[in-house]
Amino acid sequence: MSDSTEEPFLVFGAPKIGEEEIAEVEACLRSGWLGTGPRVAQLEKDFAAYRRVQASQVAAVNSCTAALHVSMVAASLEPGAEVITTPLTFCATVNAILHAGLSPVMADVDPRTQNIDPAAIEAAITPRTRAIVPVHFAGRPCDMDAIMAIAEKHSLVVIEDCAHAIETEYHGRPAGTFGDFGCFSFYVTKNVTTGEGGMILGRDEDRIARARILALHGMSKDAWHRFGDAGYKHYQVVECGFKYNMMDLQAAIGLHQLAKVDTHWQRRRAIWAFYQQALADLPLELPAEPETDTRHGFHLYTVMVDTARCRITRDGFLDAMNAARIGTGVHYLSVPEHPYYQQRFGWRLEQWPHAMRLGRQTVSLPLSPALTDADVERVIATVRRIISG
């Protein structure tokens, strides 16, 4: 049995769930409509309004991974085409490229922003390049002016991975609205959660309509509403699609999460700023401040633990935080570090030195609107104790 005086474990990325979400889930259960239905449609409408696009430009799916995969298929990229993305991302970004029958190409990151470096994108382009997948890391927008200029110059599709970037803006425009598609995550640790879930935002309404069809077995659009109270709708299978649709049970959570998005963002921004100030004198490498004329999503707060400077390894720091009952994350061990990609592609870590270093030093501290002031102070005190010895 644990000691009754032991402090509670701070779960990394715990969502803030209110009574509104709980009541909506109960109402959904009592309605008998758990699958794709009116709550999914309402979430799509609300999300479109939040990102200042038409409701016909979005489609809810069951994960950001699904959103990325479907977007690549809907973009009609030829098999084997090269897709440039960042090595500092979750494996889902690269796996979606592979599942779409495409070839991933890594371009290193800017070590200050930790986002993909436009100069590295330009250097990675070959005659087989057909698309770019920039990832707005930790909620910081990529340099979309430079990326879109490269895409226009080379006639490339752009699919924005916005898993960290629901609130993110660049020069007054929402992330996800620059490229051909923007793909968002509603995973449990994300700024808006449905437990599992995602959203596709498309610039072209024909392409997003195709993405919607692909996300539900390739059935014609009437299939989304075939069990409604307007009567049975016959459907036709028009493509070989996937089982990627979102359920109303998920959307029931998301409706109220989205309604609170700005309130929660303000709280995360305050915690992020508190960390910046309270940890500034430690030998940690802290995140760069947000760029001018951008809106940072403040999804992650990542610090770099350099063994020589901090007198502790990154993994030693992770273990010490866990022993203090504080959850942390690693975002991310660089993609080429993983055995599968090394074996399949023969990638050498030294090809992307910035991503390699960051991946070996990064630690994400708890950052959630569910954290109390006391929780934040506990995190800071623990970090200071571990680093200061």
Side-chain angles (χ1 to χ4, degrees):
M1 293 179 66
S2 62
D3 188 337
S4 60
T5 63
E6 195 172 47
E7 292 195 89
F9 191 90
L10 284 184
V11 177
F12 177 80
K16 187 172 185 179
I17 301 295
E19 291 302 320
E20 301 92 340
E21 289 93 332
I22 294 169
E24 192 73 44
V25 168
E26 181 181 357
C28 180
L29 290 169
R30 294 186 185 282
S31 75
W33 198 322
L34 308 188
T36 302
R39 285 178 173 83
V40 171
Q42 187 62 52
L43 182 61
E44 290 175 332
K45 181 179 178 182
D46 292 354
F47 187 85
Y50 177 66
R51 294 293 71 186
R52 306 197 294 274
V53 298
Q54 299 299 311
S56 57
Q57 290 179 259
V58 303
V61 289
N62 62 8
S63 69
C64 187
T65 309
L68 288 164
H69 183 194
V70 163
S71 295
M72 291 174 201
V73 177
S76 299
L77 303 174
E78 68 262 31
E82 292 178 352
V83 178
I84 297 172
T85 192
T86 171
L88 199 65
T89 185
F90 187 51
C91 61
T93 310
V94 176
N95 288 350
I97 295 171
L98 294 172
H99 288 314
L102 307 170
S103 300
V105 173
M106 302 285 103
D108 209 357
V109 298
D110 179 321
R112 189 186 69 85
T113 66
Q114 304 185 17
N115 277 328
I116 194 168
D117 185 342
I121 294 175
E122 187 78 60
I125 291 174
T126 76
R128 298 179 60 222
T129 305
R130 294 294 180 270
I132 307 169
V133 180
V135 178
H136 302 289
F137 181 81
R140 183 188 304 274
C142 292
D143 184 351
M144 293 310 297
D145 283 347
I147 290 172
M148 294 310 297
I150 292 168
E152 185 174 352
K153 175 183 174 183
H154 297 279
S155 300
L156 303 177
V157 169
V158 175
I159 298 172
E160 296 175 69
D161 185 331
C162 301
H164 298 177
I166 288 172
E167 311 94 330
T168 299
E169 296 186 3
Y170 175 84
H171 297 179
R173 281 181 61 183
T177 64
F178 291 85
D180 298 86
F181 294 98
C183 300
F184 297 83
S185 175
F186 300 144
Y187 179 63
V188 67
T189 60
K190 296 302 190 286
N191 295 3
V192 169
T193 185
T194 58
E196 294 277 4
M199 189 76 72
I200 310 170
L201 189 157
R203 187 166 59 194
D204 180 273
E205 292 193 10
D206 288 339
R207 277 181 165 176
I208 196 70
R210 185 183 178 204
R212 181 184 292 272
I213 289 169
L214 284 165
L216 189 62
H217 299 296
M219 296 191 295
S220 56
K221 61 183 179 180
D222 282 348
W224 286 77
H225 308 292
R226 69 188 187 279
F227 298 124
D229 54 13
Y232 185 84
K233 302 288 186 181
H234 288 282
Y235 65 88
Q236 293 181 316
V237 176
V238 295
E239 292 210 53
C240 182
F242 312 96
K243 185 69 171 72
Y244 285 164
N245 57 302
M246 179 186 281
M247 300 189 300
D248 267 25
L249 197 57
Q250 297 163 302
I253 304 170
L255 286 169
H256 297 281
Q257 284 280 295
L258 187 59
K260 301 171 185 176
V261 64
D262 284 322
T263 301
H264 287 178
W265 177 81
Q266 294 281 1
R267 175 58 178 164
R268 282 197 317 278
R269 180 174 68 166
I271 296 170
W272 200 93
F274 195 22
Y275 282 154
Q276 287 284 84
Q277 181 180 20
L279 304 176
D281 63 324
L282 296 178
L284 295 167
E285 183 182 334
L286 304 185
E289 289 293 325
E291 288 74 26
T292 303
D293 195 23
T294 68
R295 191 187 203 213
H296 197 303
F298 301 117
H299 173 57
L300 297 174
Y301 187 84
T302 57
V303 298
M304 300 297 138
V305 180
D306 178 80
T307 304
R309 294 173 59 196
C310 299
R311 295 180 300 173
I312 188 172
T313 65
R314 189 274 304 275
D315 288 359
F317 180 85
L318 292 171
D319 290 342
M321 291 291 284
N322 188 69
R325 300 183 59 74
I326 295 175
T328 52
V330 173
H331 299 88
Y332 295 97
L333 193 66
S334 68
V335 169
E337 194 101 28
H338 295 284
Y340 173 77
Y341 306 111
Q342 288 184 10
Q343 293 163 12
R344 179 162 178 175
F345 300 108
W347 287 342
R348 293 177 294 103
L349 301 176
E350 296 76 16
Q351 294 174 261
W352 305 279
H354 297 313
M356 180 180 69
R357 178 185 71 83
L358 295 171
R360 291 178 174 184
Q361 295 182 354
T362 187
V363 175
S364 296
L365 301 181
L367 181 61
S368 163
L371 294 173
T372 65
D373 288 348
D375 292 335
V376 176
E377 289 168 1
R378 180 181 156 200
V379 171
I380 290 168
T382 305
V383 171
R384 294 190 66 84
R385 174 178 59 79
I386 294 169
I387 296 297
S388 300

